[in-house]
Structure formats: C-alpha cells, structure tokens
Amino acid sequence: MGKRRVVSGMRPTGKTHLGHIHGILENWRDLQDEYDCFYFAADWHALTSEYKNTSIIKESLTEMFIDWLSVGLDPQRSTLFVQSWVKEHAELHLLLSMITPLGWLERNPTYKEQQQELLEKEVGTYGFLGYPVLQAADILMYKGNYVPVGRDQLPHLEITREIARRFHYLYREVFPLPEALLTEVPVLLGTDGRKMSKSYNNAIYISDTEDVLATKIGQMITDPQRGYKKDPGDPGVCSVFSYHRIYTEPDVIREIDMECRRAGIGCTECKKILVKRVKEHLAPIQEKRNYYLTHLEEVEEIIHEGTEQVRVVAQDTMSEVKEAMEI
Ligand code: TRP
Ligand code: SF4
C-alpha cells in the first residue's frame, strides 16, 4: 500500500514568524518522512478576511513558499501548490455547499469567535460563513487521510468529516474520513505574552537579524515580581523561560531554572543566552532563505510543478464526485 496522505494549507496573510515555524512548519517538515504530503497556500481562504486588502495576499504568496522551503519542506517529497490555481477547489466547494446545512456553519465555534475578533474586517459575509466548506473541498479533493492542524482548527475538521459523511449518505462513498494530526508542541507566545501575531506587533520574524532579536527579546517581560537581580525569580511565570524551553539545551535550561530561583542569574544575561539560541536556530533557515530570495525562478518552478501535479488528482476526484452525484 502507498503512503497515507497528509493535506494542509496556510493562508498567505503576512510574514512568517516563529510561531508558524515552531507550531506548524517544523511539524509539516517532519511529516514528510512518513506521509505523502500536499501543502498549499490557501489564498482564497485569505480572501475571506482580506477582501478589502488583497495586496497582502500577493505580497505574501511567494515569500511564504520561500519560507516553507527554507524550513525544510522538500519538493522531492512534498507537493507544494496554490489553491486558487486549481479551479476545481471552487467547483467542489460549490457542490459541497449544496449539501451543507446552514446550522453546521452557524454553530461553528471558530466562526463565532472570529466574528468577534475580526470586527473591523467586516466578515459577516457569505464567503466567510462558507470558510469550512472551502476547507472541506481542499481536504476531500486530495482524499487526505490526515490533516495536521492546531487545536483551533478542530471544529473545521469536524465539519469536513460531517460533509463527507453526508456526501456518502446521499450518493456513495468517495472520500476517506480525514483525521486531525494535532501538533503537540508547546505554544510559542508573542514577546508580550499574548498569542504571537502580526497584528499585536509581538512577533519574531523568520527574517529578524541578531540586532532585531536582541531588541525584541530585550523588551520581553520577565517575572513581574522580580524587580532587581538580587531578587529570586520564578521561571514558571516568565515568557523568556518558556522560549528557553523550546530553544535551549536541557542541561542549560535546568541551570537557568536553578540559578533564576536563587538569584544567581540576572534577566539581562538570561536573555542574552536566549538571543544566541534563537539566532542559532534561525541561522540555517535564513541561509536557505537568502538563497531562494536570489533564485526566485526556482521557487516559481517548484510551485508551478506542484500545481500541475495536483491538478490531475483534482480532476480525477471531480469526475468521481460528479459521477456519484449523477450530474
Ligand atoms: N484554515 C486553515 C488555517 O487557518 C488553513 C486551511 C485552509 C487549511 N484549507 C485547509 C488547513 C485545509 C488544513 C487543510 O490555518
Ligand atoms: Fe526569566 Fe531568565 Fe529573568 Fe529568570 S532570569 S526571570 S527565567 S528572564
């Protein structure tokens, strides 16, 4: 039997930050060893919230692929493509929309939350409500077995499974029921302790140089009870320490933990160690990134080839879908 298939997408809505790398992309990279991976830029999904500001999508698109390649997504093992270049996604979205009860979409907790969060973007639209139907089309199109997503995406995946079940009930069985592959890595918060996001201005970017890292990490809040170096600190409540847990070697983490608690290390020094660790982590990524930034034609070729490959799969699925529906 061939490898099981993984399908996942990311919206091109801005620069790649450490949260994307640590939370998503390194996981995507590791899945390549075991699965047949399809990764795509969900530019139509981006449009559901960025329809007033479409330039951000084009600006981010190529750079997003550059960043994926730099983190280690390998076009020999994964297929990388752009959602909107495969028009079949729109067609399947339309057909699935016919069988999707409104209640499933209206009850979707992510929908309600985002309605509140994105007030100024005015997402009270038909397209935004249908976001999970488009996502179902993305996944079912390629008969994905697994979908690596964060916890916040679980309701969307559940809707995909419900739509597939309903399709099978109404017509006949065509799709595997996709399962979530939860990313069980600790969440990397922004430099202010909130969710890392461009809009909060608290993100560390893939392109940040050592100077920028030093400034951003230098401004991070540490244990708020720790006013002076002579006061003992509590790493458990310190954002800097939560970064160390991800980027620093275990024995050094243990030492920092101990020294902080007995006021043996100051926050300035502790942050300096972190700057060094994050810089080391980013260095090989940035090196590859600089290569691709000056070899854009290679990147374009990879995306075009990937898109051609998946188009054939998408066309096969559409034939099967229409046959099942007798249309
Ligand atoms: N909704 C996903 C996100 O915001 C992006 C996405 C679109 C996706 N289509 C998908 C993820 C299909 C997995 C599978 O992160
Ligand atoms: Fe945080 Fe490090 Fe300061 Fe302790 S020494 S409070 S872990 S920054």
Side-chain angles (χ1 to χ4, degrees), residues 87-118:
K87 305 295 178 225
E88 283 75 7
H89 285 244
E91 193 180 9
L92 187 55
H93 166 250
L94 178 98
L95 295 180
L96 298 179
S97 79
M98 302 299 168
I99 67 166
T100 307
L102 266 182
W104 293 0
L105 303 176
E106 286 163 348
R107 275 198 303 273
N108 169 19
T110 316
Y111 174 67
K112 291 191 195 157
E113 250 166 56
Q114 297 234 323
Q115 281 277 4
Q116 296 305 316
E117 267 176 40
L118 302 174

Side-chain angles (χ1 to χ4, degrees), residues 10 15-30 64 66-73 183 185-186 188 196 204-208 213 246-247 278 281-286 289:
M10 191 184 279
K15 293 200 290 174
T16 305
H17 56 57
L18 275 192
H20 298 124
I21 299 178
H22 171 73
I24 305 168
L25 293 175
E26 291 179 338
N27 181 39
W28 285 12
R29 178 198 61 200
D30 297 342
M64 193 171 84
I66 290 177
D67 296 345
W68 290 7
L69 294 166
S70 307
V71 172
L73 297 198
T183 323
V185 292
L188 185 83
M196 189 178 285
I204 292 179
Y205 292 105
I206 192 169
S207 52
D208 284 350
L213 290 176
I246 293 165
Y247 294 107
V278 175
H281 188 82
L282 284 179
I285 299 176
Q286 290 177 343
R289 195 166 174 274

Side-chain angles (χ1 to χ4, degrees), residues 257-276:
D257 185 57
M258 213 169 67
E259 292 302 318
C260 172
R261 289 177 197 282
R262 61 183 195 92
I265 181 174
C267 296
T268 310
E269 192 190 339
C270 184
K271 286 174 169 177
K272 272 198 189 128
I273 301 173
L274 181 63
V275 171
K276 202 161 153 264

Side-chain angles (χ1 to χ4, degrees), residues 44-257:
W44 276 338
H45 277 104
L47 207 51
T48 62
S49 60
E50 305 304 325
Y51 64 89
K52 291 188 202 168
N53 175 28
T54 56
S55 60
I56 183 88
I57 300 175
K58 239 199 203 116
E59 279 161 27
S60 324
L61 193 76
T62 310
E63 213 172 305
M64 193 171 84
F65 284 105
I66 290 177
D67 296 345
W68 290 7
L69 294 166
S70 307
V71 172
L73 297 198
D74 171 6
Q76 301 300 324
R77 294 186 292 158
S78 297
T79 314
L80 311 180
F81 65 101
V82 181
Q83 178 188 43
S84 72
W85 295 0
V86 186
K87 305 295 178 225
E88 283 75 7
H89 285 244
E91 193 180 9
L92 187 55
H93 166 250
L94 178 98
L95 295 180
L96 298 179
S97 79
M98 302 299 168
I99 67 166
T100 307
L102 266 182
W104 293 0
L105 303 176
E106 286 163 348
R107 275 198 303 273
N108 169 19
T110 316
Y111 174 67
K112 291 191 195 157
E113 250 166 56
Q114 297 234 323
Q115 281 277 4
Q116 296 305 316
E117 267 176 40
L118 302 174
L119 266 189
E120 84 286 2
K121 302 213 170 183
E122 300 187 88
V123 288
T125 57
Y126 178 53
F128 192 75
L129 180 69
Y131 185 113
V133 185
L134 183 57
Q135 183 158 346
D138 299 337
I139 298 166
L140 300 177
M141 184 74 85
Y142 305 108
K143 303 193 174 176
N145 302 106
Y146 297 106
V147 184
V149 283
R151 242 167 232 293
D152 60 317
Q153 292 287 315
L154 284 182
H156 285 163
L157 196 66
E158 200 41 52
I159 294 175
T160 299
R161 293 163 58 89
E162 285 182 12
I163 292 175
R165 279 194 212 103
R166 185 155 163 82
F167 188 98
H168 297 159
Y169 165 77
L170 290 168
Y171 313 114
R172 66 174 160 80
E173 189 153 334
V174 170
F175 308 110
L177 287 186
E179 286 170 41
L181 275 184
L182 270 188
T183 323
E184 291 299 356
V185 292
V187 177
L188 185 83
L189 294 173
T191 50
D192 60 358
R194 292 190 290 172
K195 184 182 159 153
M196 189 178 285
S197 158
K198 175 188 57 168
S199 40
Y200 292 156
N201 207 2
N202 64 0
I204 292 179
Y205 292 105
I206 192 169
S207 52
D208 284 350
T209 57
E210 187 171 2
D211 288 355
V212 177
L213 290 176
T215 309
K216 288 184 178 175
I217 291 172
Q219 285 163 354
M220 278 172 76
I221 313 284
T222 63
D223 173 359
Q225 303 292 327
R226 192 172 187 205
Y228 301 96
K229 189 179 162 188
K230 63 173 174 36
D231 302 332
D234 177 4
V237 300
C238 173
S239 316
V240 176
F241 193 73
S242 67
Y243 275 58
H244 275 301
R245 277 195 219 273
I246 293 165
Y247 294 107
T248 303
E249 311 88 311
D251 49 329
V252 180
I253 298 178
R254 268 194 300 277
E255 202 179 313
I256 291 175
D257 185 57

